[in-house]
Amino acid sequence: MRDRLVPNEAVLADTDAVPADIVADMKALGLFGLSIPEQYGGLGLTTEEEIRVALVLGQTSPAFRSIFGTNNGIGSQGLVMDGTPEQKALYLPKLATGEIVAAFALTEPGAGSDAASLTTAARRDGEYYVLNGIKRYITNAPEAGIFTVMARTDPARKGPAGISALIVERGTPGLRLGKIDRKMGQHGAHTCDVIFDDCRVPVGHLIGLVEGLGFRTAMKVLDKARLNIAAVCVGAAERMLRDALTYALERRQFGQPIAQFQLIQAMLADSRTEIYAARCMVLDAAQRRDAGEGVSTQAACAKLFASEMCGRVADRCLQIHGGAGYIRDYAIERFYRDVRLFRIYEGTSQVQQLVIARSMIRDAAGS
Ligand code: COS
C-alpha cells in the first residue's frame, strides 16, 4: 500500500485507470481471491482477516481496492453463499486468480434504495431465461467477465419473492454496456449501465438453481459488503488524519506549528476518537460473523457510523489544510471527493438506519 499504491494515486486519478503492472501484482498476491474458499483457489480468509486487509488497503485511493473488491465482495459472494458446487467450480477459480472480474447488478434506474421493486425481467423460455431491463451504476461492469444479475423470474409476484439471481457472462448476445459514468471522485473505478435486450441465459446459470431466492442472496451479500466498506472508511480516515497531522506539524502560523493550537488539536482529537470507535465496531462485527452470529444489524451500524465518521474526518482534515486543502496538489482534496460515495453506495446511511431500527422493532415484538 505504502510503496506501490500511494505513489501512484495521482496517476490513477489522472489516467482514470489502475496501472496494468499494479493489477498484475495484485493478482500475484492473491488479492482477487481473498474471500474465495481455498478449494477454489482463493485465500479463504475469515471475515476478520479480510477486514484487516481492508483496514490497510483503505488507506489509499479507494479505486485501487475496487478493481479486486467486487471479486471478493458483491460480485462473487452470491455464488460463494448460494451457488451449486458445479457453479462454484466453474467460476470461482477464475475469480480467485483475477482472470475474470465479477460485477453485481442490482440497482436500476427506478430501483435504488427500494431494491425489491426492481423490474428487470427473466422470463423462462425452455432451457433459457430471457432477460430484459437496465441495471445502473454497476461497479466494474466495463471490466466484468461475469455479472450476478438480480431479475424477476416471477413477474406476477411483486416485491422480493419474485426475484432470482443469475450469472450472465460477458459476450452473451443481448447484453450491452452503456457509456462509462463520469463521477465526482473515485477515478479509476468504473461504473456504467448494463442493458439486457432479449438476452438468453441458460437455466443452469440460476444461482442455486432455485427461483425466488435472489433478493435474500443480495441482502446476505450486502451484509458482508457493508462491513468491508466500513473497514475501508476507517482506513481512509486514518490516512486523511495522518496527512492532516503531518501538515499541522509543518505549517507555521502566528510563530508556531498550527498543531500547537487547541482549535486544531480539537479537530485532530475528535477524528482520532471517532476512528477508534469505528475500528472497534467493524472488528467486533467481523469477529461475531466469524463466530456464526447473524450480523445484519451490526454491519449496518458499522457502515452507518464509519461512513458518516469518514465524511466528518474528511471535512476536518481539509479544514486543517486550510487553503491548501482545496488545491489538487494535496491528497485531501481528492479524498474529500472520493469518500463522499461511502455514505451512498451499498446502502445509503438512511437505508442502514432503516435496517437497524427495523431489527430493533422486530426484536421488541418477539420478546
Ligand atoms: N439476510 C437474509 N435475508 C434478508 C436480509 C438479510 N440481511 N434482509 C432481508 N432479508 C429477507 C427478509 O427476511 C425477507 O424475507 P421474507 O419475506 O421471507 O421474510 C425479504 O428478504 C425481504 O426483506 P424486507 O421485507 O426487509 O425487504 P424490503 O423491500 O423492505 O427492503 C431494504 C429492505 C430497504 C433494507 C433493502 O431493499 C435494501 O437494503 N436496500 C438498499 C439496497 C442497496 O444497498 N443498494 C446498494 C446498491 S447494490 S451495491
Side-chain angles (χ1 to χ4, degrees):
M1 184 276 295
R2 194 176 49 224
D3 297 342
R4 297 295 309 285
L5 304 185
V6 173
N8 277 292
E9 286 173 355
V11 175
L12 173 77
D14 292 345
T15 61
D16 194 23
V18 181
D21 61 320
I22 290 182
V23 176
D25 287 356
M26 285 172 166
K27 288 179 183 174
L29 272 173
L31 292 181
F32 281 78
L34 297 173
S35 64
I36 293 175
E38 282 175 285
Q39 69 179 116
Y40 298 110
L43 296 184
L45 299 190
T46 64
T47 311
E48 183 185 350
E49 289 166 342
E50 202 187 334
I51 287 302
R52 288 187 182 278
V53 174
L55 288 170
V56 173
L57 290 177
Q59 295 178 32
T60 183
S61 297
F64 283 125
R65 193 204 65 99
S66 188
I67 187 75
F68 61 83
T70 48
N71 274 33
N72 291 300
I74 53 178
S76 71
Q77 288 300 302
L79 270 174
V80 171
M81 291 174 184
D82 291 332
T84 64
E86 293 74 23
Q87 290 170 339
K88 292 181 189 185
L90 188 57
Y91 295 114
L92 292 181
K94 290 182 199 158
L95 294 176
T97 57
E99 182 186 331
I100 56 170
V101 165
F104 178 77
L106 173 66
T107 301
E108 299 181 355
S113 291
D114 186 6
S117 70
L118 65 85
T119 58
T120 292
R123 180 177 50 81
R124 180 87 188 243
D125 178 22
E127 287 308 294
Y128 290 87
Y129 288 102
V130 184
L131 267 65
N132 281 287
I134 300 175
K135 296 292 179 179
R136 180 139 294 171
Y137 308 141
I138 304 306
T139 301
N140 284 342
E143 289 80 16
I146 59 166
F147 300 82
T148 301
V149 181
M150 307 306 145
R152 202 166 282 287
T153 41
D154 186 350
R157 299 189 78 165
K158 302 284 172 234
I163 296 170
S164 301
L166 296 130
I167 300 291
V168 184
E169 295 182 2
R170 186 190 198 87
T172 307
L175 186 162
R176 184 157 69 74
L177 300 179
K179 65 176 173 38
I180 294 179
D181 299 315
R182 295 178 65 220
K183 306 193 304 308
M184 171 193 273
Q186 300 217 4
H187 297 135
H190 305 137
T191 64
C192 71
D193 279 4
V194 181
I195 302 145
F196 300 102
D197 193 3
D198 283 338
C199 177
R200 294 176 75 80
V201 178
V203 290
H205 287 204
L206 174 68
I207 290 185
L209 301 180
V210 185
E211 289 188 3
L213 298 183
F215 189 78
R216 196 176 297 241
T217 299
M219 290 298 119
K220 287 190 292 184
V221 166
L222 282 171
D223 282 345
K224 182 160 181 283
R226 288 167 182 167
L227 268 184
N228 263 286
I229 296 299
V232 172
C233 290
V234 174
E238 289 272 8
R239 163 66 184 284
M240 291 187 288
L241 185 59
R242 197 157 58 225
D243 284 5
L245 177 61
T246 303
Y247 186 84
L249 289 168
E250 285 168 358
R251 171 74 175 162
R252 295 179 71 86
Q253 284 293 277
F254 303 101
Q256 56 182 333
I258 61 170
Q260 296 304 327
F261 293 109
Q262 289 182 338
L263 292 177
I264 297 287
Q265 290 175 358
M267 288 193 275
L268 293 171
D270 285 354
S271 299
R272 176 83 279 146
T273 305
E274 290 196 74
I275 292 170
Y276 179 47
R279 188 183 167 88
C280 291
M281 285 174 82
V282 69
L283 283 170
D284 174 71
Q287 286 157 3
R288 286 174 187 271
R289 187 173 188 276
D290 286 335
E293 281 184 43
V295 295
S296 297
T297 308
Q298 287 80 359
C301 290
K303 205 270 185 180
L304 171 64
F305 184 77
S307 62
E308 294 286 332
M309 172 282 289
C310 194
R312 289 190 293 271
V313 169
D315 196 66
R316 289 185 201 118
C317 291
L318 196 149
Q319 193 69 15
I320 290 169
H321 279 77
Y326 207 66
I327 303 295
R328 294 229 158 150
D329 296 348
Y330 291 85
I332 188 65
E333 183 275 337
R334 195 180 55 241
F335 271 94
Y336 186 80
R337 289 181 286 109
D338 285 350
V339 304
R340 188 61 184 83
L341 188 58
F342 295 148
R343 288 151 64 191
I344 298 172
Y345 71 173
E346 305 199 11
T348 60
S349 291
Q350 291 68 32
V351 160
Q352 310 311 324
Q353 287 171 317
L354 275 185
V355 170
I356 297 160
R358 280 181 179 192
S359 88
M360 291 168 65
I361 292 164
R362 220 177 16 247
D363 289 353
S367 61

